[in-house]
Amino acid sequence: VRWGVPLVTAVGDLAAAVTLGVLVLAAVALPVRPPAPQAGPQAVPAALRLVTGAAAVWTLASALRLVLQYAQASGTPLADPAFGRQLAGFVADTDAGRGLLLTVALAAVTTVIAAGARSPGALGLLVLLGLVALVPPSLAGHAAGSGDHETAVTSLGLHLLGVSVWVGGLAGVVLLRGRLGDALPEVVRRYSALAGWSFLLVGGSGLINAAIRVPRLDGLATRYGLLLALKAAAFAVLGVAGALQRRRTLPVLDAGAAGPFARLAAGEVAVMGTTLGLAAALGASPPPSPGRRALPTLAESVTGYALPPQPTPARWLTEWQPDLLWVLAAALAAGLYLAGVRRLRSRGDAWSPLRTVSWLAGVALLVYVTSGPPAVYGRVLFSAHMVGHMTLSMVVPVLLVLGAPVTLAFRALARRRDGSRGPREWLLAMVESRYARLLSFPPVAAFLFAGSLVFFYFSPLFGLALRTHVGHELMHAHFLFAGYLFAWVLIGTDPGPYRVSQPLRLITLLVAMAFHAFFGVALLSGSTVLQPGYFGGLGRTWGTSLLADQRAGGGVAWGIGDVPAIVLAVIIAVQWAMSDDREARRRDRAADRDGDAELTAYNAMLARLAEQDRRP
């Protein structure tokens, strides 16, 4: 058991990395139509067969890891007659057991779907499954017990994602290079871009993880610190190898010599395997003890941070608790948008500065809601939570939609010519998919925006979002997505499946806001506190009672929610007037071109009718 746990962990991690990395490679880099006769069209099916085998190994290794980790934790021998019954209780009653079992199930589902996958849509589904499968390992590592729990869990998840795409993608290029033919240089370039992003992600997240687990320099002298240093050295070697590949190997590939690339890639794979082994050893080693720490307060044991002071107008600007996931997402959204604007202007195309300002304002407000005072006090006060909810679902989406990001992406991103799906092709596929058609149907979008309020807040989902990190992040993602979808249906200028008329948009807005107001009134007049065990167990000694605070949150939902609704109605009215003006100008231009043929034909028809009326 002692030797088996790190062994099956390393094998399972490597198989998981190959599964996800090859899936990403097949989804965004491998050609479907051969650019030359020597490049056979069998790269994607071969990649799926490779994914099937890797996912099967991942499933078996995860199942063995579940058994061996329980044996190691409990000290029960595998041959003990009570081992099976105790293992079943471990899986049913503990978060660690359920997480390991979920990993086994997701790996098994990935194996089955990959075995029968044929369409690009199936590739997208498999990539999503692989991303979801990274969540349980992120929650089960040493991050789960660190002081800064949420940052540690997020950084570990991003670390696993970067490693998987980097390691698995390179393994896919090496194993599939014989089927790529003349497409190999282009595939390597695309992988090189993925590897560059992965390198940054792995380095940044690894640095955050190391700072959290080894906060003092003397911790580097421990066994855990030594393994951490060895892993950092292997990471540096991989960075140097990647730089060499970019500078030396890619030009040689263009000349038709694949030998240097194969040798360098094989060396990288060997170093990556060593790195994964060190990572498995790190996972099996306890981090240095931080020494004696004060017992956590009630708020710290529930939220992960100390109870903030009573809110004041100044503290609504100064109390911050950065959420790593949303900070990185916002930075990426702002950076990619500005890069797209720069690309348009570099080739002489215009882009409205107002759109850019609107997008950046929405991104900045997103960071404020998810990492600023609304996030800090939203875990303590229901009224503050509702301020963040209203802003996230009704204000941020309006600013983002007015930025027209899909239009910018379609104009800035290059079109692929070999049948593969790059960012532009995947975005176009999502916009034109039947799922987008269903979700953008106005009644569906209105229900997701307003109807999910009742389903979320008056069900156990609200408590799950308050108490768990994953639930909290999914809550933010849902409200942002539902708000963006609703705002796009009403005022969006980006292309999409539906373009409803302005009167129907106004009706949709009025119905949704009436339901929204009903929700606020229900909170205002209610006498039952939502999640009293959570809000009442924080040890809060300042502020109003739980019921009074909840009623204040109902006032926020009812009152503040009307302001964005008025803004949306004004924007719809302005767009309505502008569309009428554009139609009038279009008719005038057509009349100038054809001598007002439409009006002439209409008058001739009236004359014929009048002539028929004059006949006996």
Side-chain angles (χ1 to χ4, degrees), residues 103-167:
T103 301
V104 175
L106 290 172
V109 172
T110 302
T111 305
V112 174
I113 296 179
R118 296 293 182 270
S119 64
L123 275 176
L125 175 61
L126 287 168
V127 171
L128 289 178
L129 274 176
L131 295 177
V132 173
L134 295 180
V135 175
S138 304
L139 297 173
H142 294 309
S146 62
D148 196 350
H149 168 76
E150 296 188 353
T151 300
V153 167
T154 301
S155 61
L156 180 57
L158 296 175
H159 192 77
L160 294 176
L161 172 62
V163 169
S164 298
V165 175
W166 191 6
V167 175

Side-chain angles (χ1 to χ4, degrees), residues 152-451:
V153 167
T154 301
S155 61
L156 180 57
L158 296 175
H159 192 77
L160 294 176
L161 172 62
V163 169
S164 298
V165 175
W166 191 6
V167 175
L170 180 60
V173 173
V174 172
L175 295 174
L176 298 172
R177 69 184 187 278
R179 298 181 178 273
L180 295 175
D182 292 347
L184 179 62
E186 185 61 33
V187 172
V188 172
R189 284 192 180 86
R190 293 170 183 171
Y191 165 75
S192 183
L194 290 173
W197 285 101
S198 300
F199 182 82
L200 295 176
L201 191 60
V202 171
S205 59
L207 185 62
I208 294 173
N209 271 313
I212 291 175
R213 299 177 188 180
V214 188
R216 298 169 54 183
L217 290 178
D218 56 1
L220 295 176
T222 62
R223 178 176 182 271
Y224 188 90
L226 177 61
L227 290 174
L228 192 63
L230 291 175
K231 185 181 177 184
F235 175 76
V237 171
L238 288 175
V240 173
L244 289 175
Q245 176 181 313
R246 284 177 177 269
R247 294 181 181 180
R248 299 180 182 178
T249 309
L250 288 178
V252 173
L253 278 176
D254 289 329
F261 165 75
R263 290 190 293 272
L264 181 59
E268 280 194 65
V269 169
V271 177
M272 286 178 174
T274 304
T275 307
L276 288 176
L278 291 171
L282 274 175
S285 304
S289 174
R292 294 191 63 182
R293 298 174 57 183
L295 292 175
T297 62
L298 289 174
E300 285 177 323
S301 63
V302 176
T303 64
Y305 56 89
L307 184 71
Q310 185 170 1
T312 62
R315 286 172 180 154
W316 275 99
L317 297 175
T318 58
E319 293 291 328
W320 286 75
Q321 186 74 25
D323 189 322
L324 180 62
L325 179 64
W326 291 103
V327 169
L328 290 178
L332 187 63
L336 292 178
Y337 192 95
L338 292 176
V341 173
R342 181 181 178 184
R343 178 173 293 184
L344 289 185
R345 291 182 176 176
S346 65
R347 67 189 188 202
D349 294 341
W351 186 256
S352 171
L354 292 178
R355 286 181 170 179
T356 304
V357 171
S358 178
W359 178 265
L360 295 179
V363 170
L365 192 58
L366 174 63
V367 174
Y368 174 78
V369 172
T370 56
S371 300
V376 175
Y377 288 105
R379 304 283 286 270
V380 178
L381 296 171
F382 182 83
S383 57
H385 169 85
M386 197 53 63
V387 170
H389 175 179
M390 291 295 103
T391 307
L392 187 64
S393 62
M394 299 194 67
V395 182
V396 173
V398 173
L399 294 171
L400 296 180
V401 166
L402 292 177
V406 178
T407 301
L408 175 64
F410 282 154
R411 293 179 60 184
L413 293 172
R415 181 183 285 110
R416 295 278 182 91
R417 304 294 182 182
D418 59 355
S420 63
R421 284 190 172 185
R424 190 181 191 280
E425 287 72 22
W426 277 110
L427 183 60
L428 182 62
M430 288 188 290
V431 169
E432 295 180 345
S433 68
R434 59 179 180 271
Y435 305 107
R437 181 174 295 275
L438 173 64
L439 294 176
S440 61
F441 186 53
V444 176
F447 174 78
L448 287 175
F449 173 73

Side-chain angles (χ1 to χ4, degrees), residues 1-14 61 65 68 277 280-281 284:
V1 168
R2 185 168 57 251
W3 288 95
V5 169
L7 177 62
V8 298
T9 300
V11 172
D13 289 346
L14 180 60
R65 181 180 179 182
L68 295 178

